[in-house]
Amino acid sequence: MRRILVDYAKTKHRAKRGSHAEHLPLDGLALAVEQKMDIDLLALDDALDRLARIDPQQERIVELRYFSGLSIEETADILDLSASTVKREWRAAKAWLRQQLTAGNKA
Amino acid sequence: MSDDNWNQVKQIFNSVLELDPSGREEYLAEACAGDNAIRRQVEGLLESYLSDFLENPIAPNRQTNGARLVTGKLFGHYEIVRLIGSGGMGEVYLAKDSKLDRNVALKVLNEKYESNESNIQRFIQEAKAASALNHPSILTIYEIGDTEQSHYIVSEYIDGKTLREILERRKLELSKILDISIQIAGALAAAHSARIIHRDIKPENVIVRDDGLVKVLDFGLAKLIQKQPSLIGLEEETIKQNRTAEGLILGTVSYMSPEQARGEKIDIRTDIFSLGIVIYEMIAGRTPFAGGSMSETFANLLKTEPPPLEMSDSQLSLELGQVVNKALAKDRDDRYATAHHFAAALKKIKTRFVRSDADETSSNQPNPEEKTTFVFGQRTVGAAHVTAPSIGQQLRHRISYVAITLLTFIMAIWGLSYLIASAPPESIAVMPFVNETGIPETEYLSDGLTESLIGRLSQIPNLSVKARSSVFRYKGKDMPIKNIGKDLNVPVILTGHVTRRENEFVLYVELVDTATENIMWRAEYNRPNSSLATIPSEIARDVANNIRHKLSGAEEQSVTRTYTENSTAYELYLKGRYYWDKRNEDAYKVAIDAYTQAIKLDPNYALAYAGLADLYLFRDGDIGRSVAMPLAKQYALKALENDETLAEAHNTLAFVNENYDFDMTAAEAGFKRAMELKPNYAVAHQFYGGFLVQTGRTEEGLAELRKAIDLEPYSAAINWHYGHMLLLARRYDEAIEQQQKTLQIQPNYQLAKSSLASAYMYAGRFNDAAALIQKQTEQDSENQGGSLTLARVKILSGDPKEGEKILARVLQEREGRKINLYAVAGVYATLGDKDKAIEWLNRGYDQRVFQMFFLRVDPAFDGLHDDPRFQELLRRIGLVS
């Protein structure tokens, strides 16, 4: 799901910059992506890749929580972790990602 | 951010958040202990932390699906065990069907597909039709239903990984890739022949069990979800229903056929295309048309040829590449016309490449001719590799290449025809059938059917069938067939799986060539429960035919013989056998109950009587020998009354004749009759061997016991028996070695430990004997036999006072309770107290203790042989005439 949404955002990004207007068949998705415009999906994607290098488990948690919309309990179930661990890791991951994204904006 | 201290940073960060704000500063200072770098990082995180951030998932509105299911919650009569997967279509749970007490997979779809009723009906019809094909590689669906919020599908639960999960973890080797592909193609072929198109073949829809069995999921489901499966349809669909987007897109982008993407009418060849992509991905690690974006992927799918496959073997790359490319043809007329054709092409590759690989490494060729064939074949293929592709040689290379291809083709045909004509295998192992009923309590069914097949196939002349004790060591172990084949030294293995539904059961069996792991034959027996009694004989006959053993009329009769027509009685018999084998009192009670019920259903059921006889033969622990032995005899006679040819019953009766009736003539005749009826019956050789040693025919007896071990090499009881007879034959060093071997098979076997301690004692290794008894006593403080042996060890090692003390203590402890009469007599004999020894032996005779049979040859009583009272006792027992 992350791949699809990020791919979509990329295409959209290119189209916006006017490289060449592409036909974007997935307008339904566009809705999903654009409704959340407070998040820069591409930057988040990059930051997630970096997160994966220092904490791959947190990356999985973010993917499941944010991109697949799973609850803490479901995420814990799938990753075979306790809910409290997921909660703590998720908190740290969110802080770390937000730090990365805001730092990016400043630069 | 440094990676090393990340764990520390996030730990402090989380602890701070959990504190009351007033205490945070102090904690932070303390936790960071002056490490400013860490402190800065933690503070940075705290500053950036915003609890709402990312809390609104980008995933298309899944929250609206209503409460999802949690462990322990009931969904109809299904109790949720845990979530096992989650995808765009919905969640999959492992659940327990409380009505039928079995594990199931419960898939709850995210969406109530409000599309017209006929669409849903079509889906249900198709999914059920596919499931009803009962193909081993098509997931069986138990129920499709809907609640107010959603549709759900209940299916058999497969403990395996999806092909997607496997591909994420590792690269698969060629043989595995082909194995999986061939099984998927087989499932498709079966479905297609029933005019069912899958429409959504992808790694997520394929489950691979640890033993390699492949299951294809969700036949027909794509139809329900994608009413009009095309990108054009998809657009509208997604706008209308965000929630289905994920499932749609995943199914679409990478595994869709061109005609599917264009929204054209599809036929079975769309599945062939999708399978082509899956195979491509298994080999290359990526899908052939993947682009940077979805639209790029879409364009590639319609216009671009897939990048060529590269494998270590260039010939293989070429040939497998051709097969995959044919499946991936843009124009469906250029693809394989059917999944059968596709499967056949894959099998050909497997025979050529996987087989020759195996031959290269296999040192154990059943037939030199076969080896020659493949060595020749290999050398020619190898020549293609070494031909230098220099420009000057290009043309010649091509010519030789064509010639070689032709040659290898001829080789392949030759190999094939050779296989067909080759001699039947000389040995086979039947692996314990896997119980897939989801009900552990019905393990007796899978075990019992396995045993029945071992017994039946053992009747085939010139075929050595690995014994029960040899193959049951592999039960539940995940070991490659190749290794088991090497371990047991068998060219062919039969494997099986048992599943069951309300009124029917399904048995899948496969004959596998252990050198190549190729499946030689596979069959599926789908029968009503009322046919359970006849299924083992049916399978045994089919197996015999498929390993090309021609059976004579009489042989076929003994292989296919059934003892009852009543399937319920048969199942009860299997249950009885299974619990009997557990050898404990509680299990005996279950077994007696099962046998008794079986006899009620079929009063002439000889096997059930024989089962009861065997049970009482070994159940003298709580009811006493004087009750158990007459019962054993009575049931053995009852069994023979119904079927005089039952070897087991003759053997059991002979054992009672020997050990309880002291009728040696009848005993010997009975053992001989049992072996005549069933020459491979290990227990008959075991009992007869013991009988011979105890009556003084030592060498003959030891030979029979060795024969029993040959037949059942991993039976602890037989190995113990042989070791103990070696001891009675005064071959102490061999006895020690043998009991050590027994203890390797079953480390906690008390009889073997006792026998080993005695062997140490007779060999003069007093310290070893004492140490072993000491250890036994630690585990079982009431180690009566051990204490009495220890008394003898003390006496023999020159401390008779200590020996007497131990004896006195045991006698006092066992006052008024059951006491080992024979062993007490042994201590007195060792002390030289003949009167007491004879007195205790006479008590042993009166109570018919089983060790009395060792009396004539037991070294413990060597000192009594000149006593007339002892000789009289031997005569009474029948040990001398």
Side-chain angles (χ1 to χ4, degrees):
Chain A
M1 201 61 210
R2 171 181 168 196
R3 239 358 347 115
I4 290 161
L5 294 166
V6 172
D7 279 349
Y8 175 81
K10 274 184 188 154
T11 321
K12 188 96 184 162
H13 191 59
R14 271 207 298 276
K16 261 190 196 156
R17 285 201 306 216
S19 51
H20 49 271
E22 275 184 78
H23 173 59
L24 296 170
L26 299 164
D27 289 330
L29 258 191
L31 230 69
V33 173
E34 275 163 0
Q35 273 167 0
K36 313 271 171 22
M37 267 340 253
D38 52 325
I39 306 284
D40 181 350
L41 214 49
L42 297 185
L44 179 65
D45 186 48
D46 285 342
L48 261 182
D49 284 345
R50 291 197 296 278
L51 179 61
R53 284 197 287 276
I54 61 167
D55 201 329
Q57 190 179 16
Q58 281 189 1
E59 182 214 25
R60 281 292 287 149
I61 291 174
V62 174
E63 282 190 333
L64 292 171
R65 292 279 291 125
Y66 185 66
F67 287 92
S68 299
L70 297 193
S71 69
I72 295 274
E73 285 72 21
E74 289 164 346
T75 307
D77 242 330
I78 286 180
L79 298 180
D80 206 8
L81 296 169
S82 72
S84 62
T85 304
V86 171
K87 211 168 145 190
R88 289 163 69 86
E89 297 293 339
W90 167 237
R91 224 158 39 186
K94 284 198 299 182
W96 191 86
L97 286 169
R98 186 156 179 273
Q99 189 181 31
Q100 296 285 311
L101 293 186
T102 47
N105 281 350
K106 278 175 217 153
Chain B
M1 168 103 23
S2 139
D3 302 358
D4 316 327
N5 51 27
W6 172 236
N7 278 330
Q8 202 185 342
V9 170
K10 69 181 182 189
Q11 199 253 323
I12 299 173
F13 162 79
N14 266 306
S15 302
V16 169
L17 279 185
E18 277 154 22
L19 284 175
D20 194 79
S22 60
R24 287 183 179 177
E25 185 60 38
E26 196 187 324
Y27 172 80
L28 197 56
E30 195 187 315
C32 297
D35 189 336
N36 283 331
I38 287 191
R39 183 165 180 149
R40 264 199 311 280
Q41 287 175 37
V42 175
E43 283 173 339
L45 283 183
L46 288 168
E47 216 174 274
S48 302
Y49 180 70
L50 194 70
S51 64
D52 285 342
F53 181 69
L54 296 183
E55 283 296 345
N56 194 4
I58 190 165
N61 306 330
R62 291 190 17 146
Q63 301 92 321
T64 55
N65 297 339
R68 275 192 296 274
L69 306 171
V70 289
T71 300
K73 188 172 167 180
L74 277 175
F75 183 94
H77 62 278
Y78 302 103
E79 187 188 331
I80 306 300
V81 178
R82 65 185 149 85
L83 183 74
I84 48 180
S86 176
M89 290 180 182
E91 288 82 39
V92 187
Y93 300 90
L94 168 61
K96 186 134 191 147
D97 180 336
S98 56
K99 271 192 197 156
L100 294 167
D101 195 28
R102 64 180 172 190
N103 285 332
V104 296
L106 170 68
K107 182 175 228 167
V108 182
L109 301 184
N110 271 340
E111 174 80 13
K112 175 91 177 173
Y113 294 95
E114 294 173 71
S115 54
N116 58 52
E117 197 54 30
S118 76
N119 230 344
I120 294 167
Q121 283 314 317
R122 222 174 28 242
F123 153 68
I124 292 175
Q125 201 183 350
E126 210 161 281
K128 286 204 160 159
S131 168
L133 292 171
N134 267 316
H135 187 276
S137 290
I138 295 177
L139 189 81
T140 302
I141 291 179
Y142 298 139
E143 187 189 346
I144 299 170
D146 57 337
T147 64
E148 270 175 33
Q149 291 84 33
S150 51
H151 296 278
Y152 64 90
I153 302 165
V154 183
S155 68
E156 62 176 316
Y157 168 67
I158 303 295
D159 189 10
K161 295 188 181 71
T162 67
L163 183 54
R164 167 65 62 225
E165 290 169 314
I166 291 171
L167 289 175
E168 274 168 3
R169 283 191 182 95
R170 64 192 156 95
K171 232 180 141 137
L172 291 168
E173 57 190 58
L174 178 70
S175 64
K176 196 90 200 154
I177 291 175
L178 290 170
D179 222 43
I180 293 171
S181 313
I182 291 166
Q183 290 186 64
I184 301 174
L188 290 177
H192 292 168
S193 65
R195 284 193 289 273
I196 298 160
I197 307 170
H198 188 290
R199 298 180 184 79
D200 195 16
I201 289 290
K202 58 187 176 185
E204 288 79 0
N205 280 339
V206 173
I207 289 187
V208 184
R209 217 165 49 183
D210 287 350
D211 67 355
L213 183 79
V214 167
K215 293 269 184 186
V216 181
L217 323 181
D218 290 351
F219 271 90
L221 187 58
K223 195 170 200 167
L224 178 70
I225 305 231
Q226 289 158 256
K227 275 169 272 170
Q228 193 59 51
S230 75
L231 282 184
I232 300 147
L234 190 99
E235 260 179 82
E236 300 155 26
E237 188 91 3
T238 357
I239 293 163
K240 275 196 303 221
Q241 299 181 325
N242 271 331
R243 273 168 280 179
T244 60
E246 187 180 358
L248 275 171
I249 293 158
L250 283 178
T252 305
V253 175
S254 298
Y255 303 92
M256 225 182 208
S257 68
E259 63 269 23
Q260 215 170 3
R262 284 195 211 96
E264 293 166 8
K265 201 168 158 43
I266 54 166
D267 60 24
I268 58 161
R269 289 169 295 181
T270 190
D271 285 346
I272 288 171
F273 186 91
S274 302
L275 175 55
I277 295 190
V278 173
I279 299 175
Y280 190 102
E281 186 180 8
M282 284 195 275
I283 299 165
R286 62 189 150 76
T287 53
F289 305 114
S293 70
M294 221 172 324
S295 34
E296 219 174 286
T297 303
F298 185 51
N300 287 345
L301 168 66
L302 297 180
K303 291 174 209 137
T304 321
E305 289 306 315
L309 285 169
E310 279 160 28
M311 278 162 279
S312 53
D313 180 330
S314 60
Q315 186 62 25
L316 172 67
S317 305
L318 183 94
E319 291 184 35
L320 186 51
Q322 280 170 354
V323 172
V324 175
N325 279 343
K326 192 169 163 71
L328 291 179
K330 309 272 183 229
D331 183 343
R332 56 187 156 188
D333 287 341
D334 294 335
R335 291 179 211 150
Y336 291 99
T338 69
H340 271 302
H341 287 96
F342 195 3
L346 290 166
K347 280 180 192 158
K348 212 158 98 187
I349 300 272
K350 179 163 181 179
T351 320
R352 272 186 34 60
F353 290 93
V354 181
R355 194 180 168 83
S356 51
D357 275 1
D359 277 16
E360 208 166 35
T361 48
S362 166
S363 54
N364 180 1
Q365 279 300 321
N367 189 308
E369 264 177 86
E370 190 182 30
K371 187 169 192 168
T372 324
T373 309
F374 282 98
V375 167
F376 187 34
Q378 253 167 22
R379 205 172 281 152
T380 41
V381 174
H385 289 175
V386 295
T387 308
S390 75
I391 303 164
Q393 287 181 322
Q394 281 285 321
L395 187 62
R396 234 183 310 154
H397 173 81
R398 181 149 302 173
I399 293 168
S400 68
Y401 173 72
V402 168
I404 285 156
T405 310
L406 194 63
L407 195 58
T408 39
F409 181 63
I410 293 167
M411 289 295 136
I413 293 192
W414 184 16
L416 205 64
S417 58
Y418 166 74
L419 273 176
I420 292 162
S422 70
E426 285 170 7
S427 57
I428 186 171
V430 182
M431 285 296 116
F433 285 6
V434 180
N435 174 19
E436 278 184 352
T437 56
I439 309 166
E441 294 75 46
T442 56
E443 193 99 337
Y444 62 81
L445 198 63
S446 42
D447 279 9
L449 291 170
T450 313
E451 275 183 58
S452 174
L453 274 172
I454 293 173
R456 286 165 193 283
L457 295 174
S458 303
Q459 310 278 316
I460 300 175
N462 306 320
L463 178 69
S464 144
V465 183
K466 290 295 159 190
R468 183 192 186 281
S469 61
S470 305
V471 294
F472 271 75
R473 290 180 301 147
Y474 299 99
K475 187 172 166 176
K477 291 206 177 117
D478 184 21
M479 199 167 154
I481 296 276
K482 212 174 255 180
N483 300 6
I484 297 175
K486 250 184 218 149
D487 256 22
L488 293 173
N489 192 22
V490 284
V492 180
I493 275 178
L494 181 75
T495 63
H497 297 272
V498 188
T499 65
R500 189 167 222 187
R501 270 161 247 155
E502 285 98 304
N503 299 314
E504 55 178 19
F505 63 92
V506 188
L507 250 160
Y508 306 121
V509 294
E510 278 180 7
L511 274 173
V512 189
D513 181 322
T514 58
T516 61
E517 299 196 340
N518 279 340
I519 294 161
M520 301 157 62
W521 171 72
R522 154 186 287 168
E524 179 196 328
Y525 300 84
N526 184 1
R527 298 284 185 278
N529 282 339
S530 55
S531 306
L532 187 67
T534 50
I535 198 77
S537 55
E538 196 181 329
I539 298 176
R541 190 183 45 226
D542 291 352
V543 170
N545 288 336
N546 274 285
I547 51 175
R548 299 181 298 282
H549 273 280
K550 267 266 161 282
L551 301 177
S552 71
E555 285 157 15
E556 173 152 349
Q557 239 182 2
S558 68
V559 169
T560 59
R561 145 139 236 205
T562 47
Y563 291 88
T564 183
E565 301 290 320
N566 186 320
S567 287
T568 314
Y570 179 64
E571 186 169 348
L572 285 163
Y573 166 73
L574 292 183
K575 189 173 174 184
R577 288 272 313 172
Y578 178 80
Y579 282 96
W580 168 65
D581 198 45
K582 290 190 182 293
R583 311 280 160 115
N584 68 62
E585 285 304 325
D586 289 340
Y588 283 155
K589 283 175 188 139
V590 179
I592 291 172
D593 193 44
Y595 286 138
T596 316
Q597 284 186 52
I599 290 168
K600 237 179 235 162
L601 290 168
D602 180 355
N604 300 318
Y605 193 3
L607 271 183
Y609 290 113
L612 272 173
D614 276 353
L615 191 148
Y616 283 111
L617 197 59
F618 294 103
R619 190 191 180 221
D620 53 5
D622 64 335
I623 57 174
R625 246 168 118 72
S626 56
V627 177
M629 291 307 249
L631 277 172
K633 184 176 176 179
Q634 181 195 323
Y635 284 119
L637 285 168
K638 193 86 186 143
L640 291 172
E641 200 178 288
N642 284 292
D643 183 356
E644 200 280 324
T645 64
L646 208 55
E648 289 84 350
H650 279 290
N651 193 47
T652 304
L653 181 60
F655 189 84
V656 180
N657 288 152
E658 174 199 357
N659 282 270
Y660 196 75
D661 300 341
F662 297 161
D663 181 347
M664 298 304 138
T665 321
E668 180 156 18
F671 289 132
K672 283 186 167 164
R673 177 82 178 125
M675 289 185 295
E676 179 194 358
L677 287 166
K678 202 170 172 187
N680 293 336
Y681 188 34
V683 184
H685 292 278
Q686 176 199 351
F687 285 3
Y688 186 48
F691 170 85
L692 290 173
V693 172
Q694 288 153 29
T695 49
R697 287 145 77 182
T698 313
E699 287 313 314
E700 229 181 306
L702 291 176
E704 283 297 338
L705 278 154
R706 277 192 294 272
K707 195 158 186 186
I709 290 183
D710 279 348
L711 291 166
E712 284 278 6
Y714 294 96
S715 156
I718 294 177
N719 275 282
W720 163 78
H721 208 149
Y722 181 52
H724 202 64
M725 294 304 113
L726 282 170
L727 181 144
L728 297 183
R730 327 289 162 113
R731 287 154 67 164
Y732 303 125
D733 291 339
E734 285 170 74
I736 289 169
E737 210 176 300
Q738 178 61 29
Q739 296 304 12
Q740 284 166 342
K741 202 179 125 196
T742 309
L743 288 168
Q744 270 170 18
I745 297 170
Q746 194 173 313
N748 236 338
Y749 195 21
Q750 294 308 322
L751 272 181
K753 283 188 186 169
S754 306
S755 183
L756 179 58
S758 299
Y760 280 143
M761 176 182 71
Y762 288 124
R765 292 165 63 174
F766 298 123
N767 291 339
D768 288 335
L772 181 60
I773 293 166
Q774 176 66 31
K775 251 200 233 153
Q776 268 186 296
T777 310
E778 276 165 23
Q779 286 172 6
D780 167 21
S781 55
E782 288 230 342
N783 181 15
Q784 187 196 161
S787 300
L788 293 170
T789 307
L790 188 62
R792 298 183 62 210
V793 170
K794 294 296 175 196
I795 299 162
L796 290 171
S797 61
D799 189 356
K801 284 269 166 292
E802 181 62 25
E804 280 179 72
K805 238 162 77 186
I806 297 172
L807 174 63
R809 202 188 62 228
V810 173
L811 289 176
Q812 192 197 345
E813 276 172 11
R814 309 293 300 186
E815 181 85 50
R817 287 196 292 160
K818 210 175 144 194
I819 189 160
N820 191 333
L821 305 167
Y822 185 85
V824 172
V827 182
Y828 282 120
T830 312
L831 281 166
D833 188 339
K834 287 188 188 182
D835 293 347
K836 283 268 186 207
I838 301 267
E839 182 197 323
W840 282 82
L841 283 176
N842 276 321
R843 286 174 63 184
Y845 171 82
D846 291 341
Q847 296 189 20
R848 303 285 199 268
V849 303
F850 84 96
Q851 296 103 321
M852 293 305 288
F853 269 83
F854 304 150
L855 198 57
R856 174 173 159 176
V857 286
D858 194 332
F861 302 103
D862 279 359
L864 296 180
H865 279 253
D866 56 2
D867 192 303
R869 291 170 298 176
F870 184 77
Q871 286 301 323
E872 165 58 22
L873 189 56
L874 290 183
R875 246 189 310 280
R876 265 194 287 155
I877 303 173
L879 289 169
V880 292
S881 45

